[in-house]
Amino acid sequence: MAIIKVVCGIIFKNDLVLICRRKPEKSLCGYWEFPGGKVEASESYEESLRRELIEELNLTVKIKRHFRNAIHHNEKNPIQLISLICTTEDAVVESTDHDLIEWVKVEELLNRKLAPADVSIAQQLLDEYRIPSDQTAPNKSRSLNWKYIVRHWSGILLLGSILFSQNTKFDLIGSLDSVQSIAWLILCLYFSAIYAVPTLLCYLSAFFILNKSTIQVKWIKLTLTSISIAGIALTASLTQGNGRLMPILCYSTAAIICGLFFRIKSS
Ligand SMILES: Nc1nc2c([nH]c(=O)n2[C@H]2C[C@H](O)[C@@H](COP(=O)(O)OP(=O)(O)OP(=O)(O)O)O2)c(=O)[nH]1
């Protein structure tokens, strides 16, 4: 059964969030929801939300970031509700799809009869916004953990160098004793750190751009790991000549393992 994508805006004005009650003639009538609507083919979530909010509420918003998705299985089709955190300066006067409109505190959301998927989003919103009192909700930064960069890169360099030095010590220099093995590992680590600089710069730029985007965290992780692997392959091809397959395999394996192992979300 095809899943129907519905996008909604968690729209903040000062510290209040906009919720709307569905009109009697609509499905889920009488239920409160974060305003939004069905995503049309070829539309991005942001485009879809902007269109729906203009159509229904004549409301212009600034979209800050992606929040959470929730699934609801109604009697016809499952729907996936995608929520985006927004702010607005506009006043909302009336809605074509709703008979009541209210601005409420985040803590009050669960006191309303919310539509099922909106309940799940509201619960997660409450969890995230309950604690900080000195931050205005929509400006709270995405909880991406910058320490992930440090861990991921140290991991790639260290684990990659261990794998590489172990795999090459017999081929290159013959059998090494333990002191020579450690010296060879340090040499690999040193050169890999130097060769990694251009890739690291691309990776850092991508991290800061993606951190401001509304893309889901798992895709950010995948993109960063892919950038690492592409950089490793390119650097190895440029520097290693015929022996390039082994460093690509070792450092790429390290990039994937460390990418899977470390958490990018801090909360
Ligand atoms: N926001 C929200 N919508 C839900 C949930 N469960 C569920 O089936 N829906 C459905 C109702 C609507 O058909 C659709 C929301 O998009 P919409 O409000 O643009 O839909 P629409 O104008 O086409 O309304 P309708 O004609 O289907 O009643 O998703 C839920 O938990 N929350």
Side-chain angles (χ1 to χ4, degrees), residues 144 148 152 203 210 215-228 255 258-265:
L144 285 193
Y148 173 83
H152 192 205
Y203 180 104
L210 292 170
I215 298 168
Q216 283 182 39
V217 163
K218 66 180 174 191
W219 298 120
I220 294 183
K221 235 176 154 183
L222 185 70
T223 308
L224 293 175
T225 304
S226 305
I227 289 173
S228 316
C258 297
L260 290 172
F261 183 73
F262 294 121
R263 280 169 56 81
I264 198 166
K265 278 195 90 209

Side-chain angles (χ1 to χ4, degrees), residues 236-249:
S237 305
L238 294 173
T239 56
Q240 293 281 322
N242 291 336
R244 61 182 178 267
L245 195 59
M246 188 53 74
I248 294 174
L249 282 178

Side-chain angles (χ1 to χ4, degrees), residues 172-230:
L172 294 181
I173 320 173
S175 184
L176 302 178
D177 65 28
S178 54
V179 176
Q180 288 170 323
S181 293
I182 291 171
W184 176 228
L185 170 61
I186 291 170
L187 204 63
C188 291
L189 200 54
Y190 176 76
F191 278 106
S192 61
I194 292 174
Y195 288 143
V197 171
T199 307
L200 180 58
L201 293 177
C202 299
Y203 180 104
L204 287 174
S205 315
F207 181 88
F208 287 110
I209 293 166
L210 292 170
N211 201 12
K212 291 190 194 332
S213 74
T214 57
I215 298 168
Q216 283 182 39
V217 163
K218 66 180 174 191
W219 298 120
I220 294 183
K221 235 176 154 183
L222 185 70
T223 308
L224 293 175
T225 304
S226 305
I227 289 173
S228 316
I229 293 174

Side-chain angles (χ1 to χ4, degrees), residues 6 22 26-28 33 37-38 72 74 79 97 115-118:
V6 176
R22 293 175 70 87
K26 293 193 71 86
S27 58
L28 289 175
E33 66 177 5
K38 289 175 190 148
H72 173 231
N74 64 22
I79 72 134
D97 287 23
D118 298 64

Side-chain angles (χ1 to χ4, degrees), residues 81-107:
L81 185 64
I82 299 122
S83 63
L84 304 179
I85 290 193
C86 316
T87 56
T88 189
E89 300 296 322
D90 292 2
V92 183
V93 182
E94 58 179 354
S95 168
T96 53
D97 287 23
H98 307 98
D99 60 357
L100 273 180
I101 294 164
E102 273 192 44
W103 292 96
V104 297
K105 288 188 179 158
V106 173
E107 305 88 71

Side-chain angles (χ1 to χ4, degrees), residues 58-69:
N58 194 24
L59 181 69
T60 314
V61 294
K62 264 192 199 157
I63 298 176
K64 295 285 180 181
R65 64 185 173 100
H66 171 260
F67 186 58
R68 302 287 152 79
N69 299 345

